[in-house]
């Protein structure tokens, strides 16, 4: 589209105004961008603008499909594309990085009257965004040697802060997203009771694959509190200390520090 404008005659301020006008036009909002364009053989300026609008919407929709693929499979392509278009027009990208677009998509889905009886749709979208974010987690370097705990003085144990691996992230939902995710992954979607609390751990591996592990609620609570730098003596409830052995066995602890009073 910018090829149809004489760029050499534009000052920085005029270029910025032109870019803003172009952005408004892509979102079907009033602008005078059509006055700046030259017609091409067989196409009016309005037709050229419509081509670019369509390409923009398609491009963003394809990005959302890639991130929310399970959600797409649950609602179908026609419905997803319609919702994605409305979401885009109401929530246009504000950064020049399409890979981080769609942060509020799950919240948008939860407001749709068509999905009010299907809360697992928005919850799946929330999970998929976290799954996408887990791709960017830094891989944990080195392994925790539990024998280091033997060097800690008894009086210091209460002040221990255990560190969760940097390549792990946790997820919680009132819907059984773990069951639904596996049904979709195995192409075996069937009727099931999804109204069950779900606690998951996502972990990035050196081959950049992501594993999804189901947790018990106390294990999830412990990880949550450890990620908030809670010391052993401040864990709530204190019985969460019993779950430390599980985290150590599953190699989810990367180390520890001693919080000085």
């Amino acid at each position: 589209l910018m090829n149809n404008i004489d760029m050499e005659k534009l000052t920085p301020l005029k270029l910025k105004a032109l870019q803003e006008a172009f952005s408004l036009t892509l979102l079907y909002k009033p602008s005078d961008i059509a006055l700046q364009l030259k017609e091409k053989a067989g196409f009016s300026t309005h037709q050229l603008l419509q081509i670019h609008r369509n390409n923009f919407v398609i491009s963003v929709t394809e990005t959302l499909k890639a991130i929310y693929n399970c959600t797409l499979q649950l609602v179908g392509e026609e419905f997803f594309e319609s919702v994605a278009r409305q979401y885009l027009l109401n929530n246009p990208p504000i950064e020049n990085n399409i890979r981080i677009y769609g942060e509020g998509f799950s919240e948008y889905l939860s407001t749709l009257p068509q999905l009010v009886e299907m809360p697992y749709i928005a919850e799946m979208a929330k999970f998929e965004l976290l799954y996408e974010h887990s791709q960017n987690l830094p891989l944990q370097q080195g392994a925790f040697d539990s024998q280091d705990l033997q060097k800690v003085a008894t009086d210091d144990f209460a002040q221990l802060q255990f560190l969760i691996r940097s390549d792990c992230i946790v997820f919680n939902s009132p819907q059984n997203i773990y069951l639904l995710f596996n049904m979709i992954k195995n192409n075996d979607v069937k009727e099931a009771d999804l109204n069950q609390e779900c606690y998951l751990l996502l972990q990035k591996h050196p081959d950049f694959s992501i594993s999804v592990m189901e947790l018990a609620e106390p294990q999830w609570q412990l990880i949550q509190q450890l990620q908030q730098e809670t010391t052993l003596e401040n864990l709530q409830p204190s019985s969460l200390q019993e779950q430390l052995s599980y985290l150590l066995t599953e190699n989810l602890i990367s180390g520890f520090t001693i919080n000085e009073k």
Side-chain angles (χ1 to χ4, degrees):
L1 181 62
M2 303 300 276
N3 292 333
N4 297 334
I5 299 173
D6 190 350
M7 303 295 289
E8 293 183 357
K9 294 182 179 179
L10 291 176
T11 66
L13 288 178
K14 287 183 178 179
L15 177 59
K16 185 175 185 299
L18 185 65
Q19 291 170 333
E20 290 174 349
F22 182 41
S23 297
L24 290 173
T25 296
L26 290 179
L27 298 171
Y28 294 86
K29 295 180 180 180
S31 81
D32 60 356
I33 190 71
L35 302 176
Q36 309 289 332
L37 301 179
K38 309 176 202 174
E39 293 190 359
K40 280 191 174 181
F43 294 96
S44 69
T45 56
H46 292 288
Q47 288 173 325
L48 288 172
L49 286 172
Q50 189 58 44
I51 289 172
H52 285 281
R53 286 192 191 104
N54 292 340
N55 288 340
F56 173 64
V57 171
I58 290 172
S59 175
V60 175
T61 300
E62 290 303 312
T63 297
L64 291 175
K65 284 181 178 180
I67 297 173
Y68 300 102
N69 185 258
C70 290
T71 306
L72 166 64
Q73 294 185 58
L74 289 172
V75 301
E77 190 161 9
E78 183 177 352
F79 183 81
F80 189 96
E81 289 180 351
S82 174
V83 170
R85 183 178 185 277
Q86 290 304 313
Y87 174 75
L88 168 62
L89 297 180
N90 294 326
N91 305 274
I94 58 175
E95 293 188 43
N96 189 26
N97 183 355
I98 199 62
R99 294 306 301 173
I100 64 173
Y101 181 63
E103 292 281 346
F105 192 57
S106 63
E107 286 76 11
Y108 182 74
L109 291 174
S110 69
T111 67
L112 299 179
Q114 303 97 313
L115 302 180
V116 69
E117 300 296 329
M118 295 176 280
Y120 56 86
I121 300 290
E123 289 298 308
M124 175 56 75
K126 189 186 301 182
F127 167 77
E128 290 194 277
L129 181 64
L130 192 69
Y131 191 99
E132 176 73 14
H133 285 340
S134 68
Q135 305 277 357
N136 299 320
L137 292 174
L139 290 170
Q140 181 65 50
Q141 302 300 320
F144 174 59
D145 187 351
S146 58
Q147 292 186 351
D148 290 343
L149 290 172
Q150 299 175 9
K151 304 173 185 176
V152 178
T154 303
D155 292 344
D156 290 333
F157 259 85
Q159 299 304 314
L160 283 178
Q161 288 181 348
F162 283 93
L163 309 175
I164 299 297
R165 293 177 60 98
S166 61
D167 46 25
C168 291
I169 193 168
V170 289
F171 173 80
N172 165 241
S173 172
Q175 299 289 305
N176 194 340
I177 295 304
Y178 183 71
L179 174 61
L180 185 58
F181 176 69
N182 280 293
M183 285 196 295
I184 295 173
K185 186 171 64 173
N186 297 323
N187 196 27
D188 186 28
V189 178
K190 52 192 175 185
E191 186 174 348
D193 180 12
L194 299 175
N195 294 310
Q196 301 172 19
E197 199 82 9
C198 175
Y199 304 93
L200 303 178
L201 180 134
L202 289 75
Q203 183 172 6
K204 179 180 177 180
H205 299 284
D207 63 356
F208 297 97
S209 63
I210 306 297
S211 62
V212 182
M213 177 193 306
E214 195 168 22
L215 298 172
E217 182 177 3
Q219 296 161 357
W220 175 82
Q221 289 178 331
L222 177 58
I223 293 174
Q224 283 275 86
Q225 293 188 39
L226 292 182
Q227 288 179 328
Q228 296 167 6
E229 301 183 352
T230 306
T231 60
L232 287 187
E233 69 174 355
N234 291 323
L235 290 175
Q236 296 294 329
S238 59
S239 59
L240 290 181
Q241 293 185 31
E242 298 170 5
Q243 302 299 325
L244 275 171
S245 59
Y246 173 83
L247 269 56
L248 289 167
T249 300
E250 293 297 327
N251 191 29
L252 300 179
I253 299 292
S254 63
F256 64 86
T257 60
I258 299 176
N259 182 35
E260 297 182 4
K261 294 183 178 180

